[in-house]
């Protein structure tokens, strides 16, 4: 399978695998079926239909990972489970197109890309929102906050009280004669 690097953006040089692209440009991630547009800097994804010269345009995306997930959905739909994916561990969680028509594949790919963007946003917001508790050098009187002397007295008085009675003489309560026999 051939993959273009993020530097090529429609150029003519193609490397045999995404690993070859990653080795050719150290420090850059290359995904199958993904390239970067030079003009806008956005990521695009497309896939060839098997045994035909036709390509299915999967879309333009904000990140390379979104485009790679879109490619994975299309690759699974067109080439089956044995195809090489950008994210093989996420294959069971990807949406399955209703058919192998280009429109269904594009819709499923867009759905997967949107879901991956939402997941990335959730992770980023969670990492950014975490703030460790401030260091506190003040003394807190827990006895005062929880009213501990009175709590202990209330608990002791509760132990001396008799339990509430089940029967108050009402006719509607007579069908329940034992709590453990209640259906």
């Amino acid at each position: 399978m051939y993959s273009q690097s993020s530097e090529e953006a429609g150029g003519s040089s193609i490397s045999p695998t995404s690993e070859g692209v990653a080795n050719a440009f150290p420090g850059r991630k290359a995904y199958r079926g993904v390239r970067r547009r030079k003009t806008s800097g956005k990521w695009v994804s497309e896939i060839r239909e098997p045994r035909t010269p036709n390509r299915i345009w999967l879309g333009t995306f904000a990140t390379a990972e979104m485009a790679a997930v879109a490619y994975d959905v299309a690759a699974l739909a067109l080439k089956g489970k044995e195809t090489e994916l950008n994210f093989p561990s996420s294959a069971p969680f990807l949406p399955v197109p209703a058919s192998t028509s280009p429109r269904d594949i594009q819709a499923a790919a867009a759905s997967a890309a949107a879901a991956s963007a939402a997941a990335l946003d959730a992770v980023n917001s969670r990492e950014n929102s975490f703030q460790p508790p401030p260091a506190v050098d003040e003394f807190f009187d827990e006895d005062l906050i929880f009213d501990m002397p009175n709590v202990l007295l209330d608990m002791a008085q509760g132990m001396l009280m008799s339990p509430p009675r089940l029967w108050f003489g009402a006719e509607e309560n007579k069908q329940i004669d034992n709590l453990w026999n209640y259906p």
Side-chain angles (χ1 to χ4, degrees):
M1 177 173 288
Y2 290 93
S3 171
Q4 293 182 350
S5 74
S6 60
E7 293 287 314
E8 292 165 354
S12 62
S13 71
I14 299 176
S15 64
T17 63
S18 62
E19 291 81 15
V21 174
N23 292 335
F25 300 101
R28 297 198 181 245
K29 286 186 179 178
Y31 296 108
R32 297 180 190 288
V34 176
R35 60 185 166 88
R36 188 173 190 169
R37 290 186 185 255
K38 286 184 181 178
T39 56
S40 65
K42 293 188 178 182
W43 299 88
V44 297
S45 181
E46 63 186 357
I47 189 169
R48 284 191 187 271
E49 291 184 46
R51 296 174 298 281
T52 67
N54 300 334
R55 293 182 185 186
I56 298 176
W57 180 256
L58 300 174
T60 303
F61 304 97
T63 66
E65 288 77 16
M66 290 172 62
V69 167
Y71 174 85
D72 284 355
V73 169
L76 283 171
L78 292 173
K79 300 175 183 178
K81 296 179 183 179
E82 299 302 318
T83 187
E84 292 186 42
L85 301 174
N86 294 309
F87 304 109
S89 61
S90 66
F93 307 108
L94 295 175
V96 178
S99 70
T100 57
S101 74
R103 287 185 189 224
D104 288 340
I105 291 173
Q106 288 169 339
S111 171
S116 71
L120 184 63
D121 287 345
V123 168
N124 287 340
S125 68
R126 188 174 196 179
E127 289 175 357
N128 294 337
S129 66
F130 176 74
Q131 296 176 0
V136 179
D137 294 334
E138 298 178 23
F139 171 74
F140 286 110
D141 188 4
E142 293 172 350
D143 290 341
L144 181 63
I145 293 172
F146 297 113
D147 195 22
M148 289 304 274
N150 290 334
V151 167
L152 294 175
L153 285 175
D154 291 342
M155 288 173 54
Q157 286 177 354
M159 296 299 290
L160 296 175
M161 294 176 59
S162 63
R165 297 179 187 225
L166 279 177
W167 304 111
F168 299 106
E171 294 296 323
E172 60 269 1
N173 289 333
K174 288 192 177 180
Q175 70 264 11
I176 303 174
D177 56 3
N178 187 351
L179 183 62
W180 303 111
N181 293 335
Y182 187 74

